[in-house]
Short mmCIF file of all heavy atoms in Angstrom, two decimals:
data_model
loop_
_atom_site.label_atom_id
_atom_site.label_comp_id
_atom_site.label_asym_id
_atom_site.label_seq_id
_atom_site.Cartn_x
_atom_site.Cartn_y
_atom_site.Cartn_z
N TYR X 522 -1.08 -1.19 -6.60
CA TYR X 522 -1.25 0.09 -5.98
C TYR X 522 -0.18 1.10 -6.35
O TYR X 522 -0.45 2.30 -6.53
CB TYR X 522 -1.31 -0.09 -4.44
CG TYR X 522 -2.64 -0.52 -3.88
CD1 TYR X 522 -2.81 -1.78 -3.30
CD2 TYR X 522 -3.72 0.32 -3.97
CE1 TYR X 522 -4.05 -2.17 -2.81
CE2 TYR X 522 -5.02 -0.05 -3.46
CZ TYR X 522 -5.14 -1.28 -2.87
OH TYR X 522 -6.33 -1.68 -2.36
N ARG X 523 1.00 0.64 -6.47
CA ARG X 523 2.11 1.54 -6.84
C ARG X 523 1.90 2.13 -8.19
O ARG X 523 2.30 3.26 -8.48
CB ARG X 523 3.47 0.76 -6.76
CG ARG X 523 3.94 0.43 -5.43
CD ARG X 523 4.48 1.68 -4.72
NE ARG X 523 5.03 1.35 -3.44
CZ ARG X 523 5.66 2.24 -2.68
NH1 ARG X 523 5.77 3.51 -3.06
NH2 ARG X 523 6.16 1.92 -1.46
N ALA X 524 1.29 1.33 -9.11
CA ALA X 524 1.08 1.73 -10.44
C ALA X 524 -0.10 2.75 -10.55
O ALA X 524 -0.13 3.59 -11.46
CB ALA X 524 0.88 0.61 -11.37
N THR X 525 -1.07 2.65 -9.65
CA THR X 525 -2.31 3.40 -9.79
C THR X 525 -2.61 4.40 -8.70
O THR X 525 -3.42 5.32 -8.90
CB THR X 525 -3.50 2.42 -9.89
OG1 THR X 525 -3.54 1.62 -8.69
CG2 THR X 525 -3.30 1.45 -11.08
N ASN X 526 -2.04 4.23 -7.47
CA ASN X 526 -2.48 4.99 -6.32
C ASN X 526 -1.73 6.28 -6.25
O ASN X 526 -1.08 6.62 -5.24
CB ASN X 526 -2.30 4.22 -5.06
CG ASN X 526 -3.05 4.80 -3.91
OD1 ASN X 526 -4.05 5.51 -4.09
ND2 ASN X 526 -2.59 4.51 -2.70
N THR X 527 -1.86 7.13 -7.28
CA THR X 527 -1.18 8.43 -7.36
C THR X 527 -2.13 9.60 -7.65
O THR X 527 -1.69 10.66 -7.95
CB THR X 527 -0.04 8.42 -8.39
OG1 THR X 527 -0.67 8.13 -9.68
CG2 THR X 527 1.02 7.36 -8.10
N VAL X 528 -3.41 9.30 -7.52
CA VAL X 528 -4.37 10.25 -8.12
C VAL X 528 -5.06 11.14 -7.14
O VAL X 528 -5.71 12.14 -7.55
CB VAL X 528 -5.45 9.48 -8.94
CG1 VAL X 528 -4.81 8.68 -10.03
CG2 VAL X 528 -6.24 8.53 -8.00
N THR X 529 -4.95 10.91 -5.85
CA THR X 529 -5.66 11.77 -4.89
C THR X 529 -5.28 13.27 -4.98
O THR X 529 -6.16 14.08 -5.06
CB THR X 529 -5.38 11.28 -3.44
OG1 THR X 529 -5.88 9.93 -3.29
CG2 THR X 529 -6.15 12.18 -2.46
N PRO X 530 -3.99 13.62 -5.10
CA PRO X 530 -3.70 15.06 -5.27
C PRO X 530 -4.23 15.60 -6.58
O PRO X 530 -4.69 16.75 -6.63
CB PRO X 530 -2.18 15.09 -5.28
CG PRO X 530 -1.72 13.86 -4.56
CD PRO X 530 -2.76 12.79 -4.90
N VAL X 531 -4.28 14.78 -7.60
CA VAL X 531 -4.79 15.26 -8.92
C VAL X 531 -6.33 15.48 -8.83
O VAL X 531 -6.88 16.47 -9.30
CB VAL X 531 -4.46 14.23 -10.01
CG1 VAL X 531 -5.07 14.67 -11.34
CG2 VAL X 531 -2.98 14.08 -10.14
N LEU X 532 -7.02 14.54 -8.21
CA LEU X 532 -8.47 14.72 -8.00
C LEU X 532 -8.76 15.89 -7.11
O LEU X 532 -9.73 16.59 -7.33
CB LEU X 532 -9.07 13.45 -7.44
CG LEU X 532 -9.00 12.14 -8.25
CD1 LEU X 532 -9.59 10.95 -7.55
CD2 LEU X 532 -9.72 12.36 -9.66
N THR X 533 -7.93 16.09 -6.13
CA THR X 533 -8.10 17.27 -5.24
C THR X 533 -7.98 18.58 -6.07
O THR X 533 -8.76 19.51 -5.90
CB THR X 533 -7.02 17.28 -4.15
OG1 THR X 533 -7.15 16.13 -3.36
CG2 THR X 533 -7.11 18.52 -3.29
N ARG X 534 -6.96 18.66 -6.97
CA ARG X 534 -6.79 19.79 -7.74
C ARG X 534 -7.96 20.04 -8.71
O ARG X 534 -8.40 21.14 -8.87
CB ARG X 534 -5.47 19.68 -8.59
CG ARG X 534 -5.12 20.89 -9.40
CD ARG X 534 -3.66 20.96 -9.73
NE ARG X 534 -3.24 19.88 -10.57
CZ ARG X 534 -2.44 18.84 -10.20
NH1 ARG X 534 -1.95 18.90 -8.97
NH2 ARG X 534 -2.06 17.91 -11.02
N MET X 535 -8.49 18.97 -9.29
CA MET X 535 -9.62 19.06 -10.22
C MET X 535 -10.83 19.59 -9.47
O MET X 535 -11.60 20.44 -9.96
CB MET X 535 -9.89 17.70 -10.86
CG MET X 535 -8.77 17.20 -11.79
SD MET X 535 -9.01 15.54 -12.39
CE MET X 535 -10.39 15.74 -13.49
N LEU X 536 -11.10 19.06 -8.27
CA LEU X 536 -12.27 19.48 -7.52
C LEU X 536 -12.07 20.94 -7.06
O LEU X 536 -13.03 21.71 -7.04
CB LEU X 536 -12.47 18.56 -6.29
CG LEU X 536 -12.95 17.16 -6.64
CD1 LEU X 536 -12.99 16.31 -5.38
CD2 LEU X 536 -14.34 17.15 -7.29
N THR X 537 -10.86 21.31 -6.68
CA THR X 537 -10.58 22.67 -6.26
C THR X 537 -10.86 23.68 -7.40
O THR X 537 -11.30 24.75 -7.16
CB THR X 537 -9.11 22.83 -5.79
OG1 THR X 537 -8.86 21.90 -4.75
CG2 THR X 537 -8.85 24.26 -5.40
N GLN X 538 -10.59 23.25 -8.63
CA GLN X 538 -10.83 24.04 -9.77
C GLN X 538 -12.26 24.00 -10.30
O GLN X 538 -12.59 24.59 -11.36
CB GLN X 538 -9.84 23.64 -10.94
CG GLN X 538 -8.40 23.88 -10.53
CD GLN X 538 -7.43 23.21 -11.54
OE1 GLN X 538 -7.84 22.40 -12.33
NE2 GLN X 538 -6.15 23.59 -11.42
N GLY X 539 -13.13 23.21 -9.58
CA GLY X 539 -14.56 23.17 -9.94
C GLY X 539 -14.86 22.25 -11.10
O GLY X 539 -15.95 22.44 -11.80
N ARG X 540 -14.02 21.34 -11.44
CA ARG X 540 -14.20 20.41 -12.55
C ARG X 540 -14.82 19.10 -12.11
O ARG X 540 -14.24 18.04 -12.27
CB ARG X 540 -12.86 20.20 -13.25
CG ARG X 540 -12.28 21.49 -13.77
CD ARG X 540 -10.78 21.32 -14.05
NE ARG X 540 -10.46 20.20 -14.92
CZ ARG X 540 -9.25 19.67 -15.07
NH1 ARG X 540 -8.25 20.20 -14.39
NH2 ARG X 540 -9.09 18.64 -15.86
N ALA X 541 -16.01 19.14 -11.59
CA ALA X 541 -16.69 17.91 -11.03
C ALA X 541 -16.92 16.87 -12.08
O ALA X 541 -16.67 15.70 -11.87
CB ALA X 541 -17.95 18.37 -10.35
N GLN X 542 -17.40 17.25 -13.27
CA GLN X 542 -17.73 16.34 -14.31
C GLN X 542 -16.45 15.64 -14.82
O GLN X 542 -16.44 14.42 -15.08
CB GLN X 542 -18.48 16.99 -15.46
CG GLN X 542 -19.85 17.46 -15.10
CD GLN X 542 -20.73 16.38 -14.62
OE1 GLN X 542 -20.76 15.23 -15.22
NE2 GLN X 542 -21.48 16.60 -13.57
N ASP X 543 -15.39 16.41 -14.98
CA ASP X 543 -14.11 15.83 -15.38
C ASP X 543 -13.61 14.83 -14.37
O ASP X 543 -13.03 13.79 -14.67
CB ASP X 543 -13.08 16.88 -15.63
CG ASP X 543 -13.37 17.73 -16.86
OD1 ASP X 543 -14.14 17.26 -17.71
OD2 ASP X 543 -12.84 18.86 -16.94
N THR X 544 -13.86 15.18 -13.09
CA THR X 544 -13.42 14.31 -11.98
C THR X 544 -14.18 12.95 -12.06
O THR X 544 -13.55 11.88 -11.92
CB THR X 544 -13.67 14.97 -10.64
OG1 THR X 544 -12.98 16.20 -10.62
CG2 THR X 544 -13.16 14.11 -9.49
N HIS X 545 -15.51 13.05 -12.26
CA HIS X 545 -16.27 11.81 -12.33
C HIS X 545 -15.87 10.95 -13.52
O HIS X 545 -15.79 9.70 -13.40
CB HIS X 545 -17.75 12.14 -12.41
CG HIS X 545 -18.29 12.80 -11.16
ND1 HIS X 545 -19.53 13.35 -11.05
CD2 HIS X 545 -17.69 13.03 -9.98
CE1 HIS X 545 -19.71 13.81 -9.85
NE2 HIS X 545 -18.59 13.65 -9.14
N ALA X 546 -15.53 11.58 -14.65
CA ALA X 546 -15.11 10.85 -15.81
C ALA X 546 -13.80 10.15 -15.63
O ALA X 546 -13.59 9.02 -16.00
CB ALA X 546 -15.05 11.78 -17.03
N ALA X 547 -12.90 10.86 -14.87
CA ALA X 547 -11.59 10.29 -14.59
C ALA X 547 -11.74 9.08 -13.65
O ALA X 547 -11.08 8.01 -13.82
CB ALA X 547 -10.69 11.34 -13.91
N VAL X 548 -12.64 9.20 -12.65
CA VAL X 548 -12.81 8.04 -11.73
C VAL X 548 -13.40 6.88 -12.46
O VAL X 548 -12.99 5.73 -12.17
CB VAL X 548 -13.80 8.54 -10.60
CG1 VAL X 548 -14.18 7.31 -9.77
CG2 VAL X 548 -13.11 9.61 -9.71
N SER X 549 -14.27 7.10 -13.43
CA SER X 549 -14.82 5.98 -14.15
C SER X 549 -13.73 5.21 -14.91
O SER X 549 -13.74 3.95 -14.89
CB SER X 549 -15.90 6.51 -15.16
OG SER X 549 -16.43 5.46 -15.89
N ILE X 550 -12.84 5.92 -15.55
CA ILE X 550 -11.77 5.27 -16.31
C ILE X 550 -10.84 4.54 -15.29
O ILE X 550 -10.41 3.39 -15.51
CB ILE X 550 -10.97 6.28 -17.10
CG1 ILE X 550 -11.79 6.89 -18.15
CG2 ILE X 550 -9.72 5.64 -17.69
CD1 ILE X 550 -11.07 7.91 -19.00
N LEU X 551 -10.55 5.17 -14.17
CA LEU X 551 -9.69 4.54 -13.17
C LEU X 551 -10.31 3.29 -12.65
O LEU X 551 -9.58 2.29 -12.34
CB LEU X 551 -9.42 5.54 -12.03
CG LEU X 551 -8.56 6.76 -12.40
CD1 LEU X 551 -8.55 7.79 -11.27
CD2 LEU X 551 -7.12 6.34 -12.74
N LEU X 552 -11.63 3.24 -12.43
CA LEU X 552 -12.26 2.02 -11.97
C LEU X 552 -12.05 0.90 -12.96
O LEU X 552 -11.77 -0.27 -12.60
CB LEU X 552 -13.75 2.29 -11.76
CG LEU X 552 -14.19 3.09 -10.51
CD1 LEU X 552 -15.64 3.50 -10.60
CD2 LEU X 552 -13.95 2.28 -9.24
#
Side-chain angles (χ1 to χ4, degrees):
Y522 276 113
R523 288 286 184 176
T525 61
N526 194 25
T527 61
V528 299
T529 300
V531 177
L532 296 178
T533 300
R534 184 160 62 247
M535 293 172 71
L536 291 174
T537 301
Q538 296 169 348
R540 298 160 55 195
Q542 292 301 316
D543 290 341
T544 304
H545 294 173
V548 169
S549 180
I550 295 178
L551 292 170
L552 285 169

